[in-house]
Amino acid sequence: MTGFLRKRVMLAAAAMAAVAGIATFQLFDPNLAGNPFPACVFLAVTDLYCAGCGITRALHALAHGDLLRAVQMNVFAVVAMPLLGLMVWFADSPESLPAGVARWLYNGYLWVGALIAFWVLRNLPWWPFSWLAPG
């Protein structure tokens, strides 16, 4: 499959996933009791937030056009989504990105380090880290 066709297929798949996600979040509200979304097992066992806590509610907020609420739920996910989209878009030709951008965007160690740092910092109970907790 050529790079151009591969990008078209990935774009079509992403568009279908976005439409399905938006439709799901129009029908179900993860903020209400009795929703079909699973609760966080890590939170239930440890009483600490995992790095993914709040992603479902952030996606729900984004589906309803509420960017501020989405950032309040999980800022890491909201920031990472467009960056991951860039990574997919330029997967066949990362050299077309500026060198500094490509170097950090495709650095797995940086992504894992940022995720772990976010996970730890969002559980600290004092300001400014307390605003990283979902809600």
Side-chain angles (χ1 to χ4, degrees):
M1 188 180 308
T2 67
F4 179 75
L5 182 58
R6 185 177 301 131
K7 282 185 183 179
R8 294 285 181 162
V9 169
M10 287 190 302
L11 185 60
M16 288 188 300
V19 167
I22 290 169
T24 299
F25 286 124
Q26 295 299 320
L27 296 172
F28 302 106
D29 186 350
N31 298 300
L32 301 176
N35 70 67
F37 303 105
C40 179
V41 175
F42 185 81
L43 178 63
V45 171
T46 65
D47 204 31
L48 296 170
Y49 299 114
C50 74
C53 280
I55 286 180
T56 305
R57 290 174 287 162
L59 291 173
H60 178 266
L62 286 175
H64 290 274
D66 192 350
L67 181 61
L68 178 60
R69 183 74 176 146
V71 168
Q72 290 172 338
M73 290 293 116
N74 193 311
V75 67
F76 188 86
V78 173
V79 171
M81 280 188 286
L83 295 176
L84 292 171
L86 273 175
M87 289 174 66
V88 170
W89 186 258
F90 289 102
D92 290 336
S93 58
E95 66 279 353
S96 59
L97 287 167
V101 173
R103 192 175 309 117
W104 69 263
L105 191 61
Y106 289 96
N107 185 338
Y109 294 113
L110 185 67
W111 280 98
V112 171
L115 186 67
I116 291 170
F118 174 69
W119 191 339
V120 171
L121 294 175
R122 77 185 321 205
N123 285 293
L124 297 177
W126 55 84
W127 188 89
F129 308 111
S130 58
W131 70 269
L132 292 173

